[in-house]
Amino acid sequence: MMSIAEIYISYLRRAVFSASFLPESLSWTHQDWSSFIQLCQRQATAPLVFNEVLKDAATGQIDVPSAYLTHMKSVCAHNMLSQQQFLLILHQTWSALSSSLSNPPLLLKGFALAELYPRPDLRTWGDLDVYVGPDNYHAAAQILRATFPQAIHPNEEGEDLKHYNFDFPDGNAVEMHRATMTILHPRAACVYDALEKEGVAPEHIFPLTLSSASNLQVHIPELKFNLLFTFLHAWHHFVDTGIGMKHFCDLALLAHFTAAHISAADLESYLRPNLRKLHLTEAWNMMGYICVEKLGLAPSEWVYPTEKHTNSHTITWDSWTRQQGERMFSCVMNGGSCHPSSPERVGQNKYEERDRRRHLPWLQRKLLTLKMNLMDAHYVYPYSPE
């Protein structure tokens, strides 16, 4: 009989990559259903998984207590409503910035990645991330302050080194980025800053049509750089702020999308030297192990930069990567939560703190770039746009 975690992962694979999965009739207790729902929420994938469960309940494949059916429907509906609210902000933001800035703004992370999902409206939302770059930063801040007079924006003491927040009374937020990511380690920062400069250059950015936003035309960073950036963002969440399987879904779907536009040889020639310079080859392989072995990403769509172990059907993971990939997966599943202060952490079980104590010291010994090398720095920047 499959465990709750195994059923969760199977449903998640089906939601993300349409993997075949028909569960046996679940004879779960109320405690089992409660544990399953908490797991989905901790991993920030509740709407995705709940939608698949609701499909099976509607066809009679499984029997779900009515109270949990109501809860799942409510979560899905709330997420779709939240997306509609964000879409209004997205259209206003893009209209204001695109018509006024010398270079087009770029859509980062959540909204752009959601477009890669079979159901974009079922990906959970946090905020709207827009990259404008350092040259347009002052002008863009003034534009958005005029566009969103109702937003609560920080003063000089509240501005972040990396981005400027516009917080709305209803809980929505826009993060306007001068940089995609802040890396503190000087040597790693030099590597990343050079990659970012090339990846966000107007001649390299990638056009994307958002079907979920009435076919709004936006741009995202160059695909190879965007894949590296998305990995670094997920890695930062793992070592510092809390992670969920949502991050792995984002990474797997972006790898799938990128593989359709960039050859494996070009990706490998880009990733291999840059991951090595950032000392994150091992971390890349561990996350790739989860994307392929747990989520069902096609092996041919994940670049394994240590050796040529891939073909169209399988990856022969080395024993170290397999072992540590399983340890990372266990840490994520037993802990998991995208935002340490979010309501999704309520009810989080005893494993999270224990696993953080167990895994982070090991990671600090094994890998070179962790908290002090790769994190979104929250330092006061001595300027606030007027």
Side-chain angles (χ1 to χ4, degrees), residues 360-373:
L360 289 183
W362 161 77
L363 287 167
Q364 289 167 343
R365 291 195 302 270
K366 289 289 185 181
L367 303 171
L368 299 180
T369 45
L370 292 168
K371 282 189 180 181
M372 295 307 297
N373 294 8

Side-chain angles (χ1 to χ4, degrees), residues 21-59:
F21 174 62
L22 288 175
E24 300 175 358
S25 180
L26 300 179
S27 56
W28 279 359
T29 65
H30 284 280
Q31 181 59 46
D32 292 331
W33 278 110
S34 179
S35 298
F36 176 76
I37 287 173
Q38 287 182 20
L39 175 60
C40 296
Q41 291 173 333
R42 287 202 312 271
Q43 302 301 327
T45 55
L48 285 168
V49 176
F50 289 174
N51 185 62
E52 298 301 316
V53 173
L54 290 171
K55 289 179 186 178
D56 287 344
T59 60

Side-chain angles (χ1 to χ4, degrees), residues 334-348:
N334 287 333
S337 181
C338 289
H339 304 286
S341 60
S342 75
E344 291 178 347
R345 291 177 71 91
V346 175
Q348 194 152 287

Side-chain angles (χ1 to χ4, degrees), residues 69-81:
L69 278 177
T70 301
H71 175 73
M72 291 181 189
K73 291 176 182 178
S74 174
V75 168
C76 292
H78 181 271
N79 201 77
M80 289 185 279
L81 177 61

